């Protein structure tokens, strides 16, 4: 593969194995030069910890962008995740418009919700603004909750294929390029990923591990981008990322002290073997 340069924009949760602390090592392991733009710095992630600190870096972004423009820096891929504010989303939209190479691939994970609820930092204003960023993506990587918020469809715990088809249809009104919808499961013990591309869908089913782990959306999206940028097809990359994420959860589930994230490092060699 050719040596690719990616910019990933998401927060640094100093402790908690999510966002940049998983994206950077996973993308590097996949052989990419990985530049980062931290959207905020938090002492931990916001799911399960209390009393965490937050420093929003929104106001630093325009000067960083200007510097990169002056240096004529271009990226082959953008991958955005958890962002700091609605204003920041506008800045990120402008970065995507100005700092990409001719063949740049834009992957947007609208990391803002799970299990039917928005993360504590976000409200409907944020969702509205996130729709604008999602409209600019080549590939959108939402979970079902995020897809429901974006598409304004009622969230359901239990559903059938007709519901998912409707959800996807509504979501394509925001972005009709490619969609990788995660956490789609139709039967007990299994979940999967639905890939929408060129008007058709493909589904990959895999085991569902009962233990819900924080940060797995970020692990999934990072591995997906890593595989994709190694010239895997969208569906192949979606499958590799799913199998890798399952391994990370399997390697974590028996350790009750490790409730805040997954031991993604333990399966990096597997990911590299699948990807490089
Ligand atoms: O994994 C998503 C995520 C990223 N960053 C922060 C979070 C979360 C999920 O809760 O709180 C700060």
């Amino acid at each position: 593969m050719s040596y690719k340069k990616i910019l990933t924009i998401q927060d640094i949760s100093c402790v908690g194995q999510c966002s940049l602390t998983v994206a950077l090592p996973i993308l590097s392991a996949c052989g990419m030069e990985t530049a980062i733009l931290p959207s905020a710095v938090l002492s931990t992630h916001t799911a399960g910890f209390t009393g965490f600190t937050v420093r929003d870096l929104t106001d630093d972004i325009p000067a960083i962008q200007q510097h990169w423009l002056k240096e004529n820096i271009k990226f082959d891929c953008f991958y955005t995740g958890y962002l700091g504010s609605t204003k920041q989303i506008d800045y990120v939209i402008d970065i995507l418009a100005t700092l990409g190479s001719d063949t740049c691939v834009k992957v947007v994970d609208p990391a803002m919700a799970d299990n039917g609820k928005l993360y504590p930092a976000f409200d409907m204003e944020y969702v509205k603004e996130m729709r604008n960023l999602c409209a600019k993506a080549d590939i959108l990587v939402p979970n079902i909750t995020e897809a429901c918020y974006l598409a304004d469809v009622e969230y359901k715990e239990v559903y059938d294929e007709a519901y998912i088809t409707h959800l996807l249809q509504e979501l394509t009104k925001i972005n009709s390029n490619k969609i990788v919808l995660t956490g789609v499961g139709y039967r007990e013990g299994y979940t999967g990923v639905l890939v929408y591309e060129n008007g058709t869908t493909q589904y990959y089913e895999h085991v569902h591990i009962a233990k819900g782990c924080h940060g797995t959306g970020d692990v999934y999206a990072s591995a997906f981008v890593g595989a994709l940028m190694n010239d895997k097809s969208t569906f192949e990359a979606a499958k590799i990322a799913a199998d890798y994420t399952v391994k990370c959860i399997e390697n974590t589930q028996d350790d009750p002290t490790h409730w805040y994230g997954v031991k993604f490092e333990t399966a990096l060699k597997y990911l590299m073997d699948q990807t490089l």
Side-chain angles (χ1 to χ4, degrees):
M1 83 154 203
S2 62
Y3 188 63
K4 306 250 174 66
K5 191 186 288 189
I6 181 169
L7 173 65
T8 181
I9 311 174
Q10 44 191 315
D11 72 282
I12 297 179
S13 287
C14 299
V15 168
Q17 284 182 309
C18 69
S19 39
L20 277 181
T21 65
V22 310
L24 179 55
I26 289 174
L27 293 165
S28 298
C30 291
M32 298 166 68
E33 177 181 343
T34 308
I36 60 166
L37 183 50
S39 58
V41 179
L42 296 88
S43 52
T44 65
H45 62 60
T46 65
F49 292 100
T50 52
F52 46 83
T53 69
V54 185
R55 182 170 299 273
D56 174 22
L57 297 180
T58 298
D59 292 340
D60 293 273
I61 290 180
I64 293 172
Q65 180 189 11
Q66 284 312 311
H67 183 208
W68 289 348
L69 284 169
K70 204 165 126 248
E71 296 289 340
N72 202 25
I73 292 166
K74 297 278 182 200
F75 299 100
D76 303 304
C77 179
F78 295 111
Y79 154 38
T80 72
Y82 187 107
L83 302 177
S85 65
T86 46
K87 187 166 147 205
Q88 191 176 97
I89 295 176
D90 286 338
Y91 290 156
V92 169
I93 290 171
D94 199 55
I95 285 174
L96 266 52
T98 54
L99 287 165
S101 68
D102 292 344
T103 56
C104 181
V105 180
K106 301 175 212 124
V107 180
V108 173
D109 175 357
M112 61 182 178
D114 205 1
N115 302 314
K117 290 197 296 268
L118 287 174
Y119 294 144
F122 303 133
D123 58 15
M124 287 313 291
E125 263 312 293
Y126 187 87
V127 174
K128 227 169 101 187
E129 208 55 45
M130 182 53 82
R131 289 190 186 120
N132 295 333
L133 175 59
C134 289
K136 308 288 181 197
D138 295 309
I139 308 180
L140 202 58
V141 190
N143 60 35
I144 291 186
T145 305
E146 288 155 352
C148 285
Y149 274 106
L150 290 168
D152 200 15
V153 168
E154 188 196 347
Y155 174 79
K156 287 188 182 171
E157 282 286 334
V158 180
Y159 48 78
D160 55 14
E161 284 187 42
Y163 170 80
I164 295 295
T165 303
H166 172 67
L167 176 58
L168 207 55
Q169 240 164 25
E170 293 304 302
L171 197 54
T172 57
K173 292 178 183 166
I174 292 167
N175 186 313
S176 60
N177 292 327
K178 295 178 190 177
I179 299 169
V180 178
L181 184 61
T182 60
V184 180
Y186 298 115
R187 58 190 181 124
E188 190 70 25
Y190 292 87
T191 185
V193 50
L194 193 72
V195 175
Y196 170 89
E197 192 171 17
N198 301 325
T200 61
T201 56
Q202 281 177 287
Y203 180 59
Y204 179 61
E205 187 183 64
H206 57 86
V207 289
H208 174 67
I209 301 169
K211 187 178 180 339
C213 290
H214 298 300
T216 48
D218 303 336
V219 167
Y220 181 88
S222 304
F224 169 76
V225 173
L228 186 83
M229 295 310 286
N230 276 281
D231 301 327
K232 305 293 182 211
S233 71
T234 312
F235 188 57
E236 191 58 33
K239 284 201 301 194
I240 290 171
D243 292 340
Y244 171 62
T245 307
V246 167
K247 283 194 188 303
C248 294
I249 300 170
E250 282 171 352
N251 294 349
T252 309
Q253 62 179 345
D254 293 333
D255 182 352
T257 67
H258 208 99
W259 57 269
Y260 47 83
V262 289
K263 298 176 179 177
F264 70 93
E265 306 86 350
T266 58
L268 273 180
K269 182 169 182 315
Y270 169 84
L271 177 63
M272 292 164 77
D273 287 345
Q274 301 301 307
T275 298
L276 297 176

